[in-house]
């Protein structure tokens, strides 16, 4: 059974590509996340504010694109993004620890 995940591409007012994720990101649906990220080139803002769960399979996909990602997340994902080290590789906004990672 595939966990529900909706991915909506768009652009921010400054023209930067935006991908908004809604639902849960896990092993059952990482194919669609991988396809969406691979289909967009250049810098990308990934809005995770409506993601309630992110497992290690989803983290692996994000690590593969960390050098070009800017993440928007809520404190719900703070521990997984911080403990995994992803918050140190990609810029992350919305975390209680100060709002952003160290960047690339």
């Amino acid at each position: 059974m595939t966990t529900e995940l909706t991915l909506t591409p768009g652009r921010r007012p400054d023209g930067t590509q935006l991908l908004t994720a809604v639902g849960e990101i896990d092993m059952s649906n990482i194919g669609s996340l991988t396809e969406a990220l691979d289909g967009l080139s250049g810098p990308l803002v990934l809005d995770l504010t409506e993601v309630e769960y992110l497992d290690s399979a989803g983290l692996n996909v994000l690590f593969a694109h960390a050098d070009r990602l800017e993440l928007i997340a809520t404190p719900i994902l703070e521990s997984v993004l911080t403990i995994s080290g992803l918050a140190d590789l990609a810029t992350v906004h919305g975390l209680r620890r100060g709002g952003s990672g160290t960047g690339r």
Side-chain angles (χ1 to χ4, degrees):
M1 183 171 139
T2 302
T3 305
E4 187 172 334
L5 175 65
T6 303
L7 299 166
T8 307
R11 290 213 175 258
R12 294 183 64 156
D14 67 1
T16 304
Q17 294 182 102
L18 171 68
L19 183 64
T20 302
V22 177
E24 297 183 1
I25 301 172
D26 64 22
M27 186 168 53
S28 73
N29 59 28
I30 60 166
S32 59
L33 178 61
T34 300
E35 186 178 307
L37 292 174
D38 287 346
L40 299 169
S41 61
L44 174 67
V45 175
L46 179 58
D47 185 342
L48 300 172
T49 56
E50 296 296 323
V51 171
E52 300 162 356
Y53 178 78
L54 174 63
D55 76 1
S56 60
L59 282 171
N60 283 331
V61 172
L62 297 181
F63 268 104
H65 296 273
D67 62 334
R68 67 185 189 103
L69 284 181
E70 182 176 337
L71 304 173
I72 303 171
T74 63
I76 287 175
L77 298 179
E78 181 171 14
S79 63
V80 72
L81 295 174
T82 302
I83 291 169
S84 70
L86 186 59
D88 293 326
L89 296 177
T91 300
V92 183
H93 302 281
L95 303 183
R96 291 175 287 207
R97 67 183 188 117
S100 66
T102 59
R104 303 180 252 305

